Amino acid sequence: MGNKTTKRNISALGPTEFTGIQLKEPSTYAAGFTGIKVALQHVFKEMGIAKSLRTLSQMNQKDGFDCPGCAWPDPKEPSKLGEYCENGAKALAEEATNKRLDAAFFAKYSVEELSNWSDYQIGKGGRLTEPMVLKPNSVHYEPISWENAYAILAEELKALNTPDEAIFYTSGRSSNEAAFLYGLFIRAFGTNNMPDCSNMCHESSGVALNETLGIGKGSVKLEDFDSAEVVIVIGQNPGTNHPRMLSALQKCKENGGSIISINPLEEAGLIRFKNPQEINGIVGVGTSLTDIHLQVKINQDVALLKLILKKLAKLDLEDNKVFDHNFIETYTEGYASLLNDLERYKESQLLEICGVPEDLVDKTVAVLATKNKIIICWAMGLTQHKNGVDNIKECVNLLLLKGSLGKAGAGTCPVRGHSNVQGDRTVGIMHHVSKELNKNLEKVFGFKPPEKEGLDTVHGIKAMHEGKVKVFVALGGNFLSAASDTEYTAESLQNCSLTVQISTKLNRSHLVTGKTALILPTLGRSEIDKKEGAGRFVTVENSMGIVHRSKGMLVPASSNLRSEPEIVGGIADAYFGGSHSVDWKNMSTNYDLIRKKIQMVFKGFKNLESKSKGSGFYLPNNVRDLDFSKLPNGKAQFSLCNLAKHALSADEFLLMTIRSHDQFNTTIYGLNDRYRGIYNERRVVLMNEKDMQKYTFKKFDVVDLVSSYEGKERKAEKFMVIPYNIPQGNLAAYFPETNVLVPINHYADKSNTPISKSIVVKLAKRN
Ligand SMILES: Nc1nc2c(c(=O)[nH]1)N[C@H]1C(S)=C(S)[C@@H](COP(=O)(O)OP(=O)(O)OC[C@H]3O[C@@H](n4cnc5c(=O)[nH]c(N)nc54)[C@H](O)[C@@H]3O)O[C@H]1N2
Ligand SMILES: Nc1nc2c(c(=O)[nH]1)N[C@H]1C(S)=C(S)[C@@H](COP(=O)(O)OP(=O)(O)OC[C@H]3O[C@@H](n4cnc5c(=O)[nH]c(N)nc54)[C@H](O)[C@@H]3O)O[C@H]1N2
Ligand SMILES: [Mo]
C-alpha cells in the first residue's frame, strides 16, 4: 500500500500492486482499424451501443458539443462520418458512462477505503449524482442539499481573516461562461488566488510567447498545415494526446511538406498515420509522417536547437539567403546579439550534449536552409523543465530567423491540453493582476477588483502547507494528483478547514480533504443544460483561438446536477446574500447575459452572440498581423537562452513523467499503452538496454524510484524495469503515479511550472 498521510487514515498515493504486465513490440503507426475498434469498445462498454452511436455523431459537429478531450480545432467542414478520434471517444465514454455513484455508494465505502483503490478503479465508479458533505471527524460522505452546501462554503469564506486565505483552482474543461463568472466572483470576493491547470501545463509557453511575440498564444491556423513546408513537432506526442492533429500532419505531407520530430522517444503517432476516415487508412499502409527523427536527450533541446541555429548561420554567411534578412530588419530586435551569443558555443560540445547523430542534424539543417514556411508544434516535453521558458524562446528564435511568422504555412503552435484551457485564461482565470482587466471589470460591474498578485499552483500549495490558506475550492480537475510532490500536497489540502470540489467524477482530490469537504456535482459537456424547458449552449475556445458554441445532447447523469455557472452563481449569492452590485442569480442562469458582459469586458468578443454559431470566430492575434507594437521598440524579440544544466552522478538518471495512451491526465481510461507495446500495467519505468546492462537490471526487475532534493528523499515504490528505445541516462514513467517524486520547490524559471519532465532519480532494486 502507498503511504498513509493523515488523521483520517487516507492514502494519498493508492495501491502499488502490479496488474499483470504484457509486452509487445511498440506500434509503428497510429489509429487505423484498431483505433476504431478500441474507441468503440470503450464507449459501448460505458454507454451501450445506441447511445454511443447517437452521441458520437454529434461530437465536434456545428450544432453539437465540443469534445471533452483535447483542444485541437475542428476542420471547417467536419466529417459526416464523425469528427472524433479514439481518445476523444474514450473521454466521452468516461463522462457519459451509464454508471452512477449515489448516496448508497458513499454510505457503503468510507473515504479511507476508497483511498486504497487505484485511480483507475475510482474513476470507473461512475458519475457523481448529488451534493455530498464529509463532516469533520467523519469518514463517510453523506448527502446534503445544494442550499446547505452553499451555506457551509459561504460561512467558511466569511470566517476568514482576509480573502487571501482562500484559493480557487480551475481545470481546463469549464466553458467560457462558467470561467468568466467564477473569476468575477473570486475578484468580487476579494482575491486573485486563482491557480489553474495552466500553471502545470503551458504556462512556460505563455511567458515565452508574451515576452518574445507579445501574445501568450500560438499564431497558426489549422489551414496553415496545408501549406507548411516544414512542421517541427518537438516535445509532443500527438498520436496519443492530440490524435486529430495527425490529419493536419497528413495534409502537410500530401502537399509536399516535411515533418521533423524531436523527442527522446520515437512515438508511433509520429511515424505513420492510418487515417480511419480513409480506405487507405483502414486497409492500406496509411501515410508516413516523420521524415527526420532527432532523438534528443531529455531537456537538451536548447543544445540541439543552438546547434541547428549555428549551422544555419554558417550557411547564411555564404549567400545571405538562409535567414529572412528583410523580416529580421523590419520586425525584430536582438539579431546581432543572438549571433554573437551563438559564438560562445562549440558545435562539438552541443552535439555531445544533445546526443543526436550529426548526420541527422545536418539533414535537418539542409531541409530548413531552403524553406521559409515553418510551423513549430510543442507541448509538455518543452514546458515542464526548469528552463521551460528558454526551450520555447529558442524555438521562437528559429522562426524569427526564418521569417516564419505572420504568413500562411508558418508560425507558433503550442498544442494546448484541456478542451477549454485557453478560453478560461482568455476570460480572466489568472493569478496575475491585469490593470486593464481590473479597470474594465470595475466599469462594467461597479466593484473594485483586488490589486494584489494571487497565488499560482505551486505557491498555493505552499501557502496551504504553511496554514496561510484555509479554504480550497476547485472548479474541476484533480488538484492532488495533478500537482507535484503528492504527499506534501496531500498535507496541504488536509491543512484546510474546507475543501470543495465541483466535479463530474470522483477522484483522489475528493478523498484527501480538509476537515470538512463538499462535492458539488455538475453537468458534463455532452449533457443537455436546460432552463425552463429550453436547452442552453456555452462557448469554448480551441487551441487556435477560435471561439465557438457547444451544446450538449444527452439526458444528464442525474436530475440533481447543476450547471457550472449555476453552481458559481449559487455560491456567490449565498456569500453576498443579495447585497452586491452584481445580480448573481440572474447572471448564473442567463448565459446570454454572461456573454453580453464578456463582450463588454474583453476586446475581440464583439458579436459573441451571433458569431459563435457554426464554425465560430477568431479572436485577435497580433502575431498574425505582424503587429509587435506592445513589445520593446515595437519589435519581436530574439532571446539569449542558456543550456540546461544537469550535473548527475554516475547512478542518477533524468526521468520524464508522461501520459500513456489510456489516460487523460489523472483519469485512467484503461491499463494499456498500445502504441508503446505496454499492456495491463502502469507501474513501469522505461530504460535503455545499455543502461540495463550497465547497472545489471533485467527485464521486469522491480525497483523503487527515489528522488533526492535538498536532502529530502521522495520515493515512488514498485516499478518494473522495461527495456525501451530511450537515450541512455534517461527514463520515462507515467504520471500521476510518479508525481510523488517531483519536489515542490523545483519549477520552471518565470512560469513556475513543476519540473515534471526532468526529475533526477536513482533506482533502488527491491528484493
Ligand atoms: N488522450 C489524452 N489526450 C490529452 C491528454 C491526456 O492525458 N490524454 N492531456 C491533455 C493535456 S492537459 C495536455 S497538456 C496535452 C499533453 O500532451 P503531450 O505534451 O504530448 O503529453 P506528454 O505525455 O506529457 O508528452 C510529452 C512528450 O514529450 C516528450 N518529451 C519529454 N521530455 C522531453 C524533452 O526534454 N524534450 C523533447 N523534445 N521531448 C520531450 C515525451 O517523450 C512525449 O512524447 O495533451 C492533452 N490531451
Ligand atoms: N508529473 C506530471 N504531472 C502533471 C503533468 C505531467 O505531464 N506530469 N501534466 C500536468 C498538466 S499538463 C495538467 S493540464 C494537469 C491536469 O490537472 P487537472 O486539470 O487538475 O486534472 P484532470 O486529471 O484533467 O482532472 C480530471 C477531473 O476533472 C473533473 N472533470 C472532468 N470534466 C469536468 C467538467 O466538465 N466540469 C468539472 N467541473 N469537472 C470536470 C473530473 O472530476 C475528473 O476527475 O496535470 C499536470 N500534472
Ligand atoms: Mo495540460
Side-chain angles (χ1 to χ4, degrees), residues 420-464:
N420 197 40
V421 60
Q422 186 159 315
D424 292 350
R425 254 307 146 84
T426 305
V427 299
I429 299 300
M430 192 176 41
H431 60 282
H432 293 304
V433 178
S434 154
K435 282 203 172 123
E436 190 188 342
L437 175 58
N438 277 5
K439 204 176 74 197
N440 291 349
L441 287 173
E442 187 172 356
K443 205 162 73 194
V444 176
F445 293 103
F447 71 87
K448 210 170 168 46
E451 285 167 355
K452 186 177 155 205
E453 284 279 296
L455 296 167
D456 60 14
T457 295
V458 163
H459 294 91
I461 296 169
K462 287 168 69 103
M464 287 188 269

Side-chain angles (χ1 to χ4, degrees), residues 199-225:
N199 298 148
M200 300 179 261
C201 183
H202 266 294
E203 194 77 58
S204 304
S205 308
V207 172
L209 293 173
N210 259 318
E211 287 186 9
T212 53
L213 301 174
I215 182 168
K217 307 179 184 183
S219 72
V220 301
K221 296 182 175 179
L222 190 52
E223 54 265 34
D224 286 323
F225 284 82

